[in-house]
């Protein structure tokens, strides 16, 4: 929230700036600043708007909007001129009512606290009961593996709690996925004012969906501000981690930049290695014989000039969605090899920049950024969850999983048709033959317009082989190309790979999980592997909405809760009980049996080769938030420090 102080504009300028405000958000600012109930009643009630990008007018008449803006200008000025001395702090019930009014629909009370945390109105951090002395804190060491979004979040919270920690990062810089992926138009398809730490909002995002470089720079700023950069050892990769029962500690083998190795020890290891950073390259006959440049999207070759070249893109997932538009502009010809068509949602804000006026509002109008974040967290949260549940009674499983899902199919199909314009001949190729949301939903980056260009070919025949100069499809056609881009995704089902993690009694994580069947209680802890926590671990990806930053914050809170218990109670180790783990997996798999990803015929990287869903969670965000709110040590085997 903006601090009370000089407001850098006049009343007239403020009124001008407020013309750009999102009116339902501004209405909440007004209620928040004045405590006046009149603003929560007709004629000021915004209309319900079920679209992802709601109309900023709230469906209110121009006259009512102006009344809200004018009253808000008074309140904001009074706030900055110290005339509002005691701001009324809404109760949870009042907050719940404000939330309902803001989005024009009932926000169930179970969401209130979760959303208040998202808004930065409630602290998400667990607190010490009795903080241990310096010595005890310093004698306890946590090793975080990875300095991406989750690792930095964990480091920031450990730093604030006083628990000593260090971070190892295999790359020369922090940022994880946002450091590694540099393909054209790389960016986030989750709105940035929500895809950012709740405890470190950024009013300055240049776009509603910012690009990778800006997100990486945000993470760098966070890491610097939270004082964690000094604790990161770059160019340092974990090769093996072995738990030693006698000392209840992990012995971790590191590979340093010069190739040498080193052993370090830690009481607790936190894996923050992500799920999507080991490129998956297809095994296509002859791929290695291709004479031109061939590279994966996550290893973009900036030294290769694609201008004037015939460029093949293999794969049509989220990365391809982002890079093809501008690559088509550069290349002489773009050949897209598609195995599956993709559903994509239209997004009004995807290409829009945030106006300077809006950025000003986000920075200086008290509570504006919080209430704006609330609207995003609500709209991009659990809304879609019922749409991806299978209805066993639904009579058309070949096209949708429920009536509701079918309505989404109609809407998204209409969108595709409207985007194709006169290229309706492409419809059979681009219309997916599986229900919407069955694979990760994409945000449209002019995909359908791009594939309709005269200089773009969308090839749906299966690739048979690759020759030194071409891609040959099974219809016998030879497509001459100069460069091949592999947009074929990541080794998402091989979690923590290629690290070798050895738990109690020499048990290896990859023996327990097999090649692709990772499991963990809450996605975080595993029997036989005491004092090991996985952030963004098995089944913690999101397939229906939300932001992975939210999941990271839930997990870090849980982690911190465990560490505080350990330190306060003098526990050398904690280990998830087997029965707790088994019961959780059983419950989760049963839940997954009702979800779209296990729908007959559905093929997605969320599932392993046996069809078990290992990547995404079946839960609503609010369920996972509740499950990870505070650890129950009764679910763990504990051993006291001797
Ligand atoms: P992806 O979604 O896994 O897509 C891979 C694509 O390659 C799919 O179209 C797949 O087809 C195709 N493919 C794989 N192997 C193939 C083969 N042997 N022959 C032909 N086609 C093949 O990969 P991605 O686009 O890199 O994205 C991975 C994940 O990263 C995303 O789902 C998302 O979670 C994350 N991501 C996020 C953003 C963001 O904006 N937040 C951006 C990029 C990536 P099938 O569908 O038939 O398997």
């Amino acid at each position: 929230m903006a601090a009370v102080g000089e407001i850098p504009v006049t009343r007239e300028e403020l009124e001008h700036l407020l013309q750009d405000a999102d009116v339902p958000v501004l209405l909440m600012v007004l209620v928040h600043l004045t405590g006046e109930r009149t603003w929560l009643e007709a004629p000021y009630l915004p209309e319900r708007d079920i679209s992802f990008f709601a109309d900023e007018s709230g469906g209110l008449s121009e006259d009512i909007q102006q009344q809200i803006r004018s009253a808000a200008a008074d309140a904001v000025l009074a706030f900055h001129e110290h005339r509002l001395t005691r701001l009324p702090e809404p109760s949870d019930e009042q907050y719940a009512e404000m939330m309902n009014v803001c989005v024009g629909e009932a926000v169930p009370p179970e969401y209130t606290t979760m959303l208040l945390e998202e808004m930065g109105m409630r602290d998400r951090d667990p607190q010490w009961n009795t903080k241990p002395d310096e010595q005890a804190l310093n004698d306890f060491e946590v090793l975080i593996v990875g300095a991406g979004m989750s690792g930095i979040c964990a480091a920031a919270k450990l730093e604030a709690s006083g628990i000593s920690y260090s971070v190892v990062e295999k790359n020369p810089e922090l940022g994880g996925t946002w450091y590694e992926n540099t393909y054209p138009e790389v960016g986030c398809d989750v709105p940035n004012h929500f895809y950012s730490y709740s405890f470190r909002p950024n009013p300055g995002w240049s776009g509603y969906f910012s690009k990778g470089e800006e997100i990486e720079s945000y993470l760098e700023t966070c890491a610097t501000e939270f004082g964690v950069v000094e604790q990161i050892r770059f160019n340092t990769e974990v090769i093996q981690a072995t738990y030693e029962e006698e000392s209840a500690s992990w012995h971790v083998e590191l590979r340093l930049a010069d190739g040498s190795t080193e052993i370090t020890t830690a009481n607790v290891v936190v894996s923050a290695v992500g799920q999507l950073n080991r490129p998956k390259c297809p095994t296509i006959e002859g791929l290695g014989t291709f004479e031109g440049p061939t590279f994966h999207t996550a290893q973009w070759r900036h030294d290769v000039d694609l201008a004037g070249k015939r460029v093949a893109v293999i794969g049509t997932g989220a990365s391809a969605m982002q890079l093809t538009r501008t690559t088509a502009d550069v290349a002489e010809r773009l050949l897209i090899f598609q195995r599956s068509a993709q559903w994509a949602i239209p997004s009004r804000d995807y290409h829009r920049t945030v106006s300077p006026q809006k950025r000003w509002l986000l920075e200086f109008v008290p509570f504006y950024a919080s209430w704006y974040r609330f609207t995003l967290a609500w709209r991009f949260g659990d809304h879609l969850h019922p749409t991806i549940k299978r209805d066993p009674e639904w009579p058309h499983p070949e096209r949708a999983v429920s009536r509701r899902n079918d309505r989404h199919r109609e809407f998204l199909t209409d969108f595709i048709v409207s985007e194709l314009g006169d290229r309706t001949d492409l419809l059979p190729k681009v219309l997916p033959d599986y229900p919407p949301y069955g694979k990760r939903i994409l945000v449209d980056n002019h995909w359908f317009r791009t594939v309709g260009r005269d200089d773009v070919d969308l090839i749906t025949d299966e690739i048979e082989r690759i020759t030194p100069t071409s891609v040959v499809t099974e219809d016998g056609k030879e497509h001459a190309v100069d460069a091949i881009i592999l947009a074929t995704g990541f080794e998402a089902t091989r979690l923590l790979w290629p690290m070798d993690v050895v738990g109690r009694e020499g048990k290896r994580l990859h023996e327990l999980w097999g090649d692709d069947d990772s499991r963990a209680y809450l996605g975080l802890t595993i029997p036989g592997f005491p004092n090991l926590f996985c952030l963004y671990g098995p089944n913690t990806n999101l397939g229906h909405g939300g932001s992975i930053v939210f999941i990271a914050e839930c997990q870090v809170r849980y982690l911190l809760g465990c560490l505080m218990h350990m330190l306060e109670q003098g526990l050398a180790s904690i280990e998830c009980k087997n029965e707790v783990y088994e019961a959780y997996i059983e419950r989760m798999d049963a839940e997954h049996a009702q979800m779209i990803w296990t729908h007959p015929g559905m093929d997605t990287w969320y599932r392993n080769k046996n069809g078990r869903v290992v990547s995404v969670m079946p839960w609503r965000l609010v369920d996972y938030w509740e499950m990870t709110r505070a650890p129950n040590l009764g679910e763990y085997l504990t051993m006291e420090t001797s």
Side-chain angles (χ1 to χ4, degrees):
M1 189 190 82
V4 179
E6 283 285 292
I7 191 166
V9 290
T10 62
R11 159 99 203 189
E12 206 181 358
E13 287 165 334
L14 177 59
E15 282 189 1
H16 171 70
L17 288 161
L18 290 177
Q19 292 303 319
D20 215 29
D22 185 308
V23 177
V25 170
L26 195 62
L27 185 67
M28 291 308 111
V29 167
L30 188 50
V31 177
H32 219 136
L33 287 177
T34 64
E36 287 170 15
R37 278 203 53 84
T38 20
W39 300 108
L40 293 173
E41 290 161 10
Y44 303 110
L45 301 177
E47 278 177 9
R48 177 171 185 243
D49 186 339
I50 56 161
S51 48
F52 282 116
F53 303 95
D55 191 315
E56 295 185 349
S57 71
L60 299 166
S61 71
E62 196 49 49
D63 172 47
I64 296 295
Q65 290 183 53
Q66 286 308 342
Q67 283 186 44
I68 293 169
R69 288 194 185 100
S70 175
D74 292 339
V76 171
L77 282 174
F79 173 80
H80 281 285
E81 290 166 2
H82 304 264
R83 283 185 283 117
L84 286 180
T85 45
R86 259 195 40 225
L87 288 184
E89 166 68 19
S91 64
D92 276 12
E93 290 69 29
Q94 285 165 328
Y95 269 126
E97 185 184 6
M98 290 164 79
M99 288 176 184
N100 293 343
V101 170
C102 185
V103 290
E105 65 180 313
V107 177
E110 63 180 324
Y111 283 89
T112 311
T113 309
M114 180 187 106
L115 290 167
L116 286 172
E117 287 175 5
E118 271 304 293
M119 294 163 71
M121 297 292 182
R122 289 277 190 282
D123 198 354
R124 196 165 259 165
D125 302 338
Q127 302 299 326
W128 293 105
N129 290 316
T130 320
K131 191 169 179 178
D133 59 31
E134 283 294 306
Q135 183 71 38
L137 287 172
N138 289 336
D139 286 351
F140 189 87
E141 185 63 31
V142 178
L143 180 72
I144 299 169
V145 187
M149 178 70 85
S150 302
I152 291 168
C153 181
K157 294 301 172 185
L158 288 181
E159 175 74 31
S161 71
I163 299 172
S164 84
Y165 69 94
S166 58
V167 186
V168 288
E169 167 55 58
K170 70 176 173 10
N171 292 326
E173 289 175 38
L174 59 79
T177 204
W178 301 113
Y179 165 77
E180 288 175 3
N181 285 274
T182 59
Y183 59 77
E185 288 209 76
V186 60
C188 190
D189 60 11
V190 178
N192 269 122
H193 296 89
F194 172 43
Y195 184 94
S196 42
Y197 299 125
S198 65
F199 53 92
R200 194 355 186 130
N202 174 19
W205 290 117
S206 66
Y208 291 92
F209 292 82
S210 298
K211 297 298 172 211
E213 218 174 312
E214 194 171 342
I215 302 172
E216 191 192 353
S217 143
Y218 163 78
L219 289 174
E220 274 165 8
T221 306
C222 290
T224 306
E225 276 180 18
F226 295 121
V228 307
V229 178
E230 298 74 28
Q231 303 303 325
I232 307 175
R233 287 181 71 181
F234 292 103
N235 295 307
T236 305
E237 182 169 358
V238 172
I239 307 168
Q240 190 182 60
T242 307
Y243 186 71
E244 196 195 77
E245 232 171 320
E246 212 174 284
S247 59
S249 63
W250 285 92
H251 290 231
V252 182
E253 187 181 356
L254 307 171
R255 181 167 44 222
L256 314 186
D258 62 4
S260 64
T261 58
E262 180 187 308
I263 302 284
T264 188
T265 56
N267 301 78
V268 167
V269 168
V270 177
S271 162
V273 298
Q275 286 193 10
L276 304 165
N277 64 10
R278 301 285 175 176
K280 186 172 188 171
C281 294
T283 46
I284 302 172
E285 186 194 324
L287 181 60
T289 67
F290 185 68
E291 285 169 355
T294 310
F295 51 93
H296 189 275
T297 50
Q299 295 162 336
W300 195 263
R301 290 266 309 269
H302 292 277
D303 60 324
V304 175
D305 183 6
L306 297 176
K309 296 213 166 58
R310 294 161 301 179
V311 179
V313 174
I314 301 179
T316 53
S319 303
M321 165 61 82
Q322 295 185 337
L323 70 88
T324 43
R325 184 176 77 135
T326 38
T327 305
D329 286 340
V330 173
E332 181 201 299
R333 188 148 206 96
L334 188 68
L335 296 88
I336 303 172
F337 291 86
Q338 171 186 289
R339 189 164 71 180
S340 310
Q342 56 188 324
W343 291 108
I345 57 166
S347 167
R348 181 195 66 195
D349 290 347
Y350 192 69
H351 297 107
R352 259 208 319 164
T353 53
V354 184
S355 68
Q357 292 94 313
K358 203 58 125 284
R359 290 209 293 270
W360 190 93
L361 298 174
L362 286 160
E363 183 160 2
F364 293 107
V365 171
F367 307 118
Y368 188 94
S370 294
W371 280 103
Y372 179 58
R373 187 168 173 125
F374 155 73
T375 62
L376 297 176
W378 177 245
R379 288 184 197 289
F380 289 86
D382 284 332
H383 257 208
L384 272 181
H385 198 266
T387 315
I388 56 166
K389 277 208 150 176
R390 294 162 60 185
D391 173 1
E393 307 295 320
W394 168 247
H396 302 292
E398 73 290 353
R399 62 170 200 241
V401 293
S402 65
R403 178 170 301 284
R404 188 174 170 142
N405 186 252
D406 203 38
R407 280 202 301 270
H408 281 248
R409 183 186 183 93
E410 279 168 23
F411 168 77
L412 295 172
T413 304
D414 289 348
F415 171 64
I416 294 175
V417 171
S418 72
E419 286 291 291
L420 286 178
D422 58 6
R423 291 301 311 270
T424 43
D425 58 302
L426 287 173
L427 191 59
K429 283 186 173 181
V430 297
L431 191 65
D433 59 1
Y434 55 90
Y437 314 111
K439 289 178 191 270
R440 185 181 183 278
I441 191 72
L442 306 182
V443 174
D444 182 47
N445 184 25
H446 296 168
W447 176 262
F448 305 102
R449 293 184 207 180
T450 303
V451 298
R453 286 170 59 141
D454 292 340
D455 53 0
V456 173
D457 298 321
L458 181 65
I459 299 147
T460 52
D461 296 288
E462 205 176 309
I463 300 173
E464 189 187 270
R465 66 196 155 86
I466 290 175
T467 75
T469 54
S470 66
V471 178
V472 181
T473 42
E474 63 171 9
D475 57 350
K477 277 201 187 130
E478 184 166 356
H479 307 269
V481 292
D482 304 308
I484 299 179
I485 296 165
L486 302 172
T488 43
F490 298 89
E491 298 280 1
T493 52
R494 305 175 81 183
L495 260 74
L496 273 62
W497 179 80
M499 276 192 301
D500 182 21
V501 183
V502 188
R504 236 174 359 88
E505 296 166 4
K507 186 155 57 168
R508 288 194 134 77
L509 194 54
H510 294 297
E511 283 163 12
L512 180 75
W513 285 352
D515 192 38
D516 63 358
D517 197 12
S518 57
R519 301 149 184 250
Y521 176 53
L522 301 172
L524 281 158
T525 55
I526 309 142
F529 296 83
N531 299 3
L532 173 69
F533 295 83
C534 303
L535 303 180
Y536 198 12
N539 293 102
T540 59
N541 211 343
L542 290 168
H544 75 279
S547 143
I548 204 66
V549 186
F550 165 81
I551 296 298
E553 288 189 24
C554 288
Q555 295 173 339
V556 169
R557 160 157 61 188
Y558 187 91
L559 161 73
L560 209 58
C562 289
L563 299 180
M564 285 175 163
H565 275 303
M566 288 178 79
L567 277 153
E568 286 184 333
Q569 296 174 31
L571 302 176
S573 70
I574 69 167
E575 176 185 343
C576 181
K577 288 180 180 165
N578 198 48
E579 62 270 26
V580 171
Y581 162 87
E582 295 286 0
Y584 177 79
I585 304 297
E586 198 178 315
R587 197 154 62 89
M588 187 174 62
D589 287 352
E591 200 67 24
H592 263 310
Q594 301 177 46
M595 307 302 284
I596 193 164
W597 307 295
T598 52
H599 187 64
M602 213 42 261
D603 184 19
T604 149
W605 59 260
Y606 295 164
R607 298 169 76 177
N608 67 12
K609 57 181 172 304
N610 293 324
R612 185 173 170 268
V613 179
V614 292
S615 176
V616 284
M617 60 173 68
W619 319 120
R620 297 175 307 162
L621 301 174
V622 72
D623 298 325
Y624 191 70
W625 171 79
E626 188 64 55
M627 287 186 240
T628 49
R629 239 175 136 177
N632 169 4
L633 273 214
E635 296 180 332
Y636 286 83
L637 299 170
T638 58
M639 197 180 79
E640 287 182 14
T641 312
S642 51

